[in-house]
Amino acid sequence: PENFFILRGNHEASGINRIYGFYDECRRRYNVKMWKTFCNVFECLPCTAVIDDKIICMHGGLSPELLSLDQISNIRRPCDVPDVGLLCDLLWSDPDAQTTGYQHNDRGVSYTFSSTVVQEFLKKHDLDLVVRAHQVVEDGYEFFAGRELVTVFSAPNYCGEFDNAGAMMTVDDTLMCSFQILKPATAAQQRQAQKGRK
């Protein structure tokens, strides 16, 4: 790719990545200081990106607090991820076809939002597409809200517990989006990989 930008996700927070294995991996391979250095970098990462004024990307999703895109630019960094508010929602919220408007999320943090929320947000900000991650989807990517939002999940066989494919999305000069699929490993391939890690 010509350009590559890293956005902050909900696991780029010390309290989350400490629980979900990143701390242990850093400690095992390097040292705790390395983990702390990563966490300091994570606190500086941007939480969204806009491609050609038409495609907005974030890890989680939309927020009822997001009234202007300038609010995102005004998030001061470095920062930790708060339990509530705009930054929390950008990293934690989820689309839900059963939701009307915004509803509390079963994750216990942030919200779920409806297709109507997506359509109104895009129209208000003159955008065409929301790209997000944050949820395992079987085929690596999944559209929502009449193809106005896409979830792209890049980790096949997530945590060794799912049989999902992963995907990467490419955006060309005309803003045409295409997907590369990362097939899930077979059970035999997973066993072989486990042996190689020991």
Side-chain angles (χ1 to χ4, degrees):
E2 186 176 315
N3 291 303
F4 190 93
F5 300 93
I6 298 175
L7 300 180
R8 190 174 191 180
N10 64 316
H11 282 239
E12 281 73 52
S14 59
I16 298 296
N17 68 46
R18 187 175 185 126
I19 294 168
Y20 286 94
F22 186 65
Y23 170 83
D24 292 331
E25 186 171 347
C26 286
R27 192 181 67 190
R28 186 179 68 250
R29 291 181 183 217
Y30 304 102
N31 53 47
V32 173
K33 184 178 178 186
M34 178 68 76
W35 174 75
K36 288 180 180 177
T37 301
F38 269 109
C39 289
N40 289 337
V41 171
F42 294 156
E43 290 181 355
C44 298
L45 291 175
C47 60
T48 64
V50 178
I51 302 169
D52 231 9
D53 297 322
K54 286 297 178 185
I55 300 173
I56 188 166
C57 308
M58 76 273 290
H59 180 77
L62 303 177
S63 171
E65 294 188 18
L66 184 55
L67 306 176
S68 163
L69 296 183
D70 290 337
Q71 290 174 267
I72 298 169
S73 301
N74 293 332
I75 295 173
R76 296 182 64 119
R77 295 177 280 162
C79 65
D80 200 2
V81 178
D83 294 334
V84 296
L86 177 60
L87 179 57
C88 175
D89 297 338
L90 292 170
L91 303 183
W92 282 94
S93 69
D94 297 305
D96 184 348
Q98 309 307 313
T99 293
T100 303
Y102 286 97
Q103 301 293 325
H104 288 286
N105 198 322
D106 289 342
R107 294 180 190 268
V109 62
S110 190
Y111 298 95
T112 58
F113 54 90
S114 68
S115 59
T116 303
V117 167
V118 173
Q119 292 157 351
E120 290 172 356
F121 173 82
L122 292 174
K123 183 176 181 180
K124 177 179 180 178
H125 299 286
D126 193 27
L127 296 164
D128 292 339
L129 180 66
V130 175
V131 180
R132 45 98 58 189
H134 192 51
Q135 287 177 297
V136 177
V137 289
E138 185 176 351
D139 297 322
Y141 71 97
E142 183 175 284
F143 285 102
F144 179 75
R147 298 175 70 96
E148 291 186 315
L149 179 147
V150 63
T151 297
V152 181
F153 196 80
S154 62
N157 297 105
Y158 182 60
C159 290
E161 298 176 20
F162 294 87
D163 192 29
N164 66 291
M168 294 181 292
M169 188 178 92
T170 303
V171 180
D172 73 13
D173 292 341
T174 67
L175 298 184
M176 178 71 70
C177 300
S178 59
F179 299 90
Q180 288 181 284
I181 305 303
L182 309 167
K183 300 269 187 214
T186 64
Q189 290 168 324
Q190 288 181 43
R191 284 192 300 276
Q192 187 65 32
Q194 287 294 346
K195 287 179 187 178
R197 289 187 199 130
K198 292 181 182 178

